[in-house]
Amino acid sequence: MLKLRLAGQAARLGVRNHLLEDATKRMTDCCVQGKLYTTYKYSPAVSSHTKAVLTLNSFEKGGDGGAPSEFVALSTGWYNKGSRCLNNITISARGRSMVAMVVDECDSTMGCDEDHDYQPPCPNNIVDASKAVWEALGVPLADWGELDIIWSDA
């Protein structure tokens, strides 16, 4: 019902469908009461070609991908208590590479509370990226959401 109401509002406002899909996805990403979520203290070892999943983050409460710069948040283990914060990483996907700055942690140890926008904990292999990262990699808008990537410290 809520999805239909959102669709009707979006149509009246002339909002493109991908914005509606983003809003709907955020609603479904919320924690489910009573469900147990896996948490992680560690991430896979970092190498010159670390496999990860790129996800979309705006770095603003409740947003998806709006930051104007190439920013990323790393899963807790890779963030390593802030040791990578304000450092650059190189991200490669689909035959392209780009450099992004680590500015935050995608918390793999906690979630489902107000501090985490009621979202589940991050998996341990996430590079949560701004819209600018997706654009720099040349990923078509229709493919934004999750993408297998390779990353390394720059």
Side-chain angles (χ1 to χ4, degrees), residues 39-59:
T39 59
Y40 303 89
K41 289 184 180 178
Y42 305 102
S43 293
V46 175
S47 67
S48 61
H49 55 278
T50 308
K51 292 181 180 182
V53 176
L54 191 72
T55 56
L56 185 61
N57 185 333
S58 73
F59 301 96

PDB file of all heavy atoms in Angstrom, residues 39-59:
ATOM      1  N   THR A  39      26.898 -10.227  12.659  1.00  0.00           N
ATOM      2  CA  THR A  39      27.820  -9.114  12.871  1.00  0.00           C
ATOM      3  C   THR A  39      29.247  -9.637  12.663  1.00  0.00           C
ATOM      4  O   THR A  39      29.502 -10.841  12.747  1.00  0.00           O
ATOM      5  CB  THR A  39      27.685  -8.511  14.278  1.00  0.00           C
ATOM      6  OG1 THR A  39      27.946  -9.520  15.247  1.00  0.00           O
ATOM      7  CG2 THR A  39      26.292  -7.918  14.489  1.00  0.00           C
ATOM      8  N   TYR A  40      30.158  -8.712  12.375  1.00  0.00           N
ATOM      9  CA  TYR A  40      31.544  -9.077  12.099  1.00  0.00           C
ATOM     10  C   TYR A  40      32.483  -8.103  12.800  1.00  0.00           C
ATOM     11  O   TYR A  40      32.248  -6.897  12.790  1.00  0.00           O
ATOM     12  CB  TYR A  40      31.844  -8.989  10.592  1.00  0.00           C
ATOM     13  CG  TYR A  40      30.949  -9.833   9.724  1.00  0.00           C
ATOM     14  CD1 TYR A  40      29.753  -9.328   9.222  1.00  0.00           C
ATOM     15  CD2 TYR A  40      31.313 -11.132   9.380  1.00  0.00           C
ATOM     16  CE1 TYR A  40      28.939 -10.101   8.408  1.00  0.00           C
ATOM     17  CE2 TYR A  40      30.504 -11.913   8.570  1.00  0.00           C
ATOM     18  CZ  TYR A  40      29.319 -11.381   8.087  1.00  0.00           C
ATOM     19  OH  TYR A  40      28.509 -12.154   7.279  1.00  0.00           O
ATOM     20  N   LYS A  41      33.563  -8.616  13.363  1.00  0.00           N
ATOM     21  CA  LYS A  41      34.629  -7.772  13.906  1.00  0.00           C
ATOM     22  C   LYS A  41      35.753  -7.610  12.892  1.00  0.00           C
ATOM     23  O   LYS A  41      36.524  -6.665  12.958  1.00  0.00           O
ATOM     24  CB  LYS A  41      35.204  -8.373  15.188  1.00  0.00           C
ATOM     25  CG  LYS A  41      34.279  -8.308  16.374  1.00  0.00           C
ATOM     26  CD  LYS A  41      34.969  -8.836  17.611  1.00  0.00           C
ATOM     27  CE  LYS A  41      34.030  -8.769  18.799  1.00  0.00           C
ATOM     28  NZ  LYS A  41      34.641  -9.318  20.012  1.00  0.00           N
ATOM     29  N   TYR A  42      35.857  -8.553  11.960  1.00  0.00           N
ATOM     30  CA  TYR A  42      36.991  -8.580  11.031  1.00  0.00           C
ATOM     31  C   TYR A  42      36.499  -8.615   9.592  1.00  0.00           C
ATOM     32  O   TYR A  42      35.390  -9.056   9.315  1.00  0.00           O
ATOM     33  CB  TYR A  42      37.871  -9.797  11.309  1.00  0.00           C
ATOM     34  CG  TYR A  42      38.325  -9.852  12.748  1.00  0.00           C
ATOM     35  CD1 TYR A  42      37.704 -10.708  13.656  1.00  0.00           C
ATOM     36  CD2 TYR A  42      39.345  -9.030  13.208  1.00  0.00           C
ATOM     37  CE1 TYR A  42      38.106 -10.750  14.979  1.00  0.00           C
ATOM     38  CE2 TYR A  42      39.741  -9.054  14.531  1.00  0.00           C
ATOM     39  CZ  TYR A  42      39.128  -9.919  15.412  1.00  0.00           C
ATOM     40  OH  TYR A  42      39.512  -9.947  16.720  1.00  0.00           O
ATOM     41  N   SER A  43      37.363  -8.171   8.689  1.00  0.00           N
ATOM     42  CA  SER A  43      37.108  -8.237   7.254  1.00  0.00           C
ATOM     43  C   SER A  43      38.195  -9.091   6.621  1.00  0.00           C
ATOM     44  O   SER A  43      39.245  -9.325   7.244  1.00  0.00           O
ATOM     45  CB  SER A  43      37.139  -6.823   6.646  1.00  0.00           C
ATOM     46  OG  SER A  43      36.051  -6.059   7.115  1.00  0.00           O
ATOM     47  N   PRO A  44      37.995  -9.539   5.378  1.00  0.00           N
ATOM     48  CA  PRO A  44      39.059 -10.284   4.703  1.00  0.00           C
ATOM     49  C   PRO A  44      40.358  -9.464   4.637  1.00  0.00           C
ATOM     50  O   PRO A  44      40.321  -8.232   4.652  1.00  0.00           O
ATOM     51  CB  PRO A  44      38.489 -10.520   3.301  1.00  0.00           C
ATOM     52  CG  PRO A  44      37.005 -10.445   3.487  1.00  0.00           C
ATOM     53  CD  PRO A  44      36.791  -9.426   4.567  1.00  0.00           C
ATOM     54  N   ALA A  45      41.472 -10.144   4.542  1.00  0.00           N
ATOM     55  CA  ALA A  45      42.776  -9.468   4.477  1.00  0.00           C
ATOM     56  C   ALA A  45      42.835  -8.530   3.264  1.00  0.00           C
ATOM     57  O   ALA A  45      42.291  -8.836   2.205  1.00  0.00           O
ATOM     58  CB  ALA A  45      43.894 -10.498   4.393  1.00  0.00           C
ATOM     59  N   VAL A  46      43.487  -7.391   3.449  1.00  0.00           N
ATOM     60  CA  VAL A  46      43.653  -6.418   2.371  1.00  0.00           C
ATOM     61  C   VAL A  46      44.905  -6.767   1.581  1.00  0.00           C
ATOM     62  O   VAL A  46      45.962  -7.052   2.153  1.00  0.00           O
ATOM     63  CB  VAL A  46      43.751  -4.981   2.932  1.00  0.00           C
ATOM     64  CG1 VAL A  46      44.045  -3.983   1.820  1.00  0.00           C
ATOM     65  CG2 VAL A  46      42.475  -4.614   3.669  1.00  0.00           C
ATOM     66  N   SER A  47      44.773  -6.747   0.254  1.00  0.00           N
ATOM     67  CA  SER A  47      45.899  -7.024  -0.633  1.00  0.00           C
ATOM     68  C   SER A  47      45.904  -5.976  -1.744  1.00  0.00           C
ATOM     69  O   SER A  47      45.166  -4.995  -1.673  1.00  0.00           O
ATOM     70  CB  SER A  47      45.764  -8.426  -1.225  1.00  0.00           C
ATOM     71  OG  SER A  47      44.656  -8.479  -2.100  1.00  0.00           O
ATOM     72  N   SER A  48      46.676  -6.210  -2.762  1.00  0.00           N
ATOM     73  CA  SER A  48      46.694  -5.279  -3.893  1.00  0.00           C
ATOM     74  C   SER A  48      45.463  -5.446  -4.774  1.00  0.00           C
ATOM     75  O   SER A  48      45.250  -4.658  -5.696  1.00  0.00           O
ATOM     76  CB  SER A  48      47.961  -5.483  -4.725  1.00  0.00           C
ATOM     77  OG  SER A  48      47.980  -6.803  -5.245  1.00  0.00           O
ATOM     78  N   HIS A  49      44.653  -6.462  -4.492  1.00  0.00           N
ATOM     79  CA  HIS A  49      43.421  -6.702  -5.259  1.00  0.00           C
ATOM     80  C   HIS A  49      42.356  -7.343  -4.358  1.00  0.00           C
ATOM     81  O   HIS A  49      41.906  -8.460  -4.593  1.00  0.00           O
ATOM     82  CB  HIS A  49      43.704  -7.558  -6.492  1.00  0.00           C
ATOM     83  CG  HIS A  49      44.380  -8.864  -6.183  1.00  0.00           C
ATOM     84  ND1 HIS A  49      45.733  -8.980  -5.987  1.00  0.00           N
ATOM     85  CD2 HIS A  49      43.887 -10.108  -6.012  1.00  0.00           C
ATOM     86  CE1 HIS A  49      46.027 -10.227  -5.708  1.00  0.00           C
ATOM     87  NE2 HIS A  49      44.926 -10.939  -5.726  1.00  0.00           N
ATOM     88  N   THR A  50      41.940  -6.596  -3.340  1.00  0.00           N
ATOM     89  CA  THR A  50      40.957  -7.079  -2.372  1.00  0.00           C
ATOM     90  C   THR A  50      39.561  -7.079  -2.989  1.00  0.00           C
ATOM     91  O   THR A  50      39.097  -6.050  -3.478  1.00  0.00           O
ATOM     92  CB  THR A  50      40.974  -6.187  -1.117  1.00  0.00           C
ATOM     93  OG1 THR A  50      42.316  -6.088  -0.633  1.00  0.00           O
ATOM     94  CG2 THR A  50      40.064  -6.750  -0.037  1.00  0.00           C
ATOM     95  N   LYS A  51      38.890  -8.216  -2.942  1.00  0.00           N
ATOM     96  CA  LYS A  51      37.529  -8.309  -3.463  1.00  0.00           C
ATOM     97  C   LYS A  51      36.557  -7.702  -2.458  1.00  0.00           C
ATOM     98  O   LYS A  51      36.706  -7.890  -1.252  1.00  0.00           O
ATOM     99  CB  LYS A  51      37.146  -9.757  -3.740  1.00  0.00           C
ATOM    100  CG  LYS A  51      37.909 -10.374  -4.884  1.00  0.00           C
ATOM    101  CD  LYS A  51      37.470 -11.800  -5.131  1.00  0.00           C
ATOM    102  CE  LYS A  51      38.251 -12.399  -6.289  1.00  0.00           C
ATOM    103  NZ  LYS A  51      37.815 -13.767  -6.573  1.00  0.00           N
ATOM    104  N   ALA A  52      35.549  -6.968  -2.977  1.00  0.00           N
ATOM    105  CA  ALA A  52      34.551  -6.326  -2.121  1.00  0.00           C
ATOM    106  C   ALA A  52      33.271  -6.121  -2.909  1.00  0.00           C
ATOM    107  O   ALA A  52      33.214  -6.364  -4.114  1.00  0.00           O
ATOM    108  CB  ALA A  52      35.078  -4.984  -1.613  1.00  0.00           C
ATOM    109  N   VAL A  53      32.254  -5.631  -2.197  1.00  0.00           N
ATOM    110  CA  VAL A  53      30.990  -5.252  -2.823  1.00  0.00           C
ATOM    111  C   VAL A  53      30.818  -3.746  -2.632  1.00  0.00           C
ATOM    112  O   VAL A  53      30.886  -3.244  -1.508  1.00  0.00           O
ATOM    113  CB  VAL A  53      29.800  -6.013  -2.203  1.00  0.00           C
ATOM    114  CG1 VAL A  53      28.479  -5.536  -2.796  1.00  0.00           C
ATOM    115  CG2 VAL A  53      29.969  -7.515  -2.406  1.00  0.00           C
ATOM    116  N   LEU A  54      30.642  -3.039  -3.731  1.00  0.00           N
ATOM    117  CA  LEU A  54      30.394  -1.601  -3.701  1.00  0.00           C
ATOM    118  C   LEU A  54      28.906  -1.377  -3.477  1.00  0.00           C
ATOM    119  O   LEU A  54      28.067  -1.991  -4.139  1.00  0.00           O
ATOM    120  CB  LEU A  54      30.819  -0.972  -5.024  1.00  0.00           C
ATOM    121  CG  LEU A  54      30.869   0.549  -5.069  1.00  0.00           C
ATOM    122  CD1 LEU A  54      32.063   1.057  -4.240  1.00  0.00           C
ATOM    123  CD2 LEU A  54      30.994   1.038  -6.507  1.00  0.00           C
ATOM    124  N   THR A  55      28.573  -0.526  -2.510  1.00  0.00           N
ATOM    125  CA  THR A  55      27.180  -0.152  -2.248  1.00  0.00           C
ATOM    126  C   THR A  55      27.068   1.361  -2.299  1.00  0.00           C
ATOM    127  O   THR A  55      28.064   2.072  -2.361  1.00  0.00           O
ATOM    128  CB  THR A  55      26.705  -0.688  -0.881  1.00  0.00           C
ATOM    129  OG1 THR A  55      27.584  -0.205   0.137  1.00  0.00           O
ATOM    130  CG2 THR A  55      26.673  -2.211  -0.865  1.00  0.00           C
ATOM    131  N   LEU A  56      25.846   1.877  -2.252  1.00  0.00           N
ATOM    132  CA  LEU A  56      25.577   3.303  -2.415  1.00  0.00           C
ATOM    133  C   LEU A  56      25.279   3.959  -1.075  1.00  0.00           C
ATOM    134  O   LEU A  56      24.457   3.484  -0.304  1.00  0.00           O
ATOM    135  CB  LEU A  56      24.383   3.479  -3.360  1.00  0.00           C
ATOM    136  CG  LEU A  56      24.009   4.892  -3.770  1.00  0.00           C
ATOM    137  CD1 LEU A  56      25.150   5.564  -4.524  1.00  0.00           C
ATOM    138  CD2 LEU A  56      22.767   4.855  -4.646  1.00  0.00           C
ATOM    139  N   ASN A  57      25.936   5.092  -0.808  1.00  0.00           N
ATOM    140  CA  ASN A  57      25.759   5.831   0.452  1.00  0.00           C
ATOM    141  C   ASN A  57      25.889   7.314   0.161  1.00  0.00           C
ATOM    142  O   ASN A  57      26.785   7.735  -0.550  1.00  0.00           O
ATOM    143  CB  ASN A  57      26.823   5.407   1.458  1.00  0.00           C
ATOM    144  CG  ASN A  57      26.644   6.023   2.825  1.00  0.00           C
ATOM    145  OD1 ASN A  57      26.080   7.091   2.986  1.00  0.00           O
ATOM    146  ND2 ASN A  57      27.149   5.345   3.821  1.00  0.00           N
ATOM    147  N   SER A  58      25.026   8.128   0.761  1.00  0.00           N
ATOM    148  CA  SER A  58      25.093   9.577   0.548  1.00  0.00           C
ATOM    149  C   SER A  58      25.912  10.285   1.602  1.00  0.00           C
ATOM    150  O   SER A  58      26.229  11.442   1.464  1.00  0.00           O
ATOM    151  CB  SER A  58      23.695  10.183   0.545  1.00  0.00           C
ATOM    152  OG  SER A  58      23.192  10.201   1.857  1.00  0.00           O
ATOM    153  N   PHE A  59      26.215   9.599   2.707  1.00  0.00           N
ATOM    154  CA  PHE A  59      26.898  10.210   3.830  1.00  0.00           C
ATOM    155  C   PHE A  59      26.052  11.290   4.477  1.00  0.00           C
ATOM    156  O   PHE A  59      26.550  12.182   5.126  1.00  0.00           O
ATOM    157  CB  PHE A  59      28.291  10.720   3.433  1.00  0.00           C
ATOM    158  CG  PHE A  59      29.137   9.595   2.922  1.00  0.00           C
ATOM    159  CD1 PHE A  59      29.253   9.342   1.569  1.00  0.00           C
ATOM    160  CD2 PHE A  59      29.771   8.750   3.812  1.00  0.00           C
ATOM    161  CE1 PHE A  59      29.993   8.276   1.107  1.00  0.00           C
ATOM    162  CE2 PHE A  59      30.518   7.676   3.360  1.00  0.00           C
ATOM    163  CZ  PHE A  59      30.629   7.444   2.003  1.00  0.00           C
TER     164      PHE A  59
END
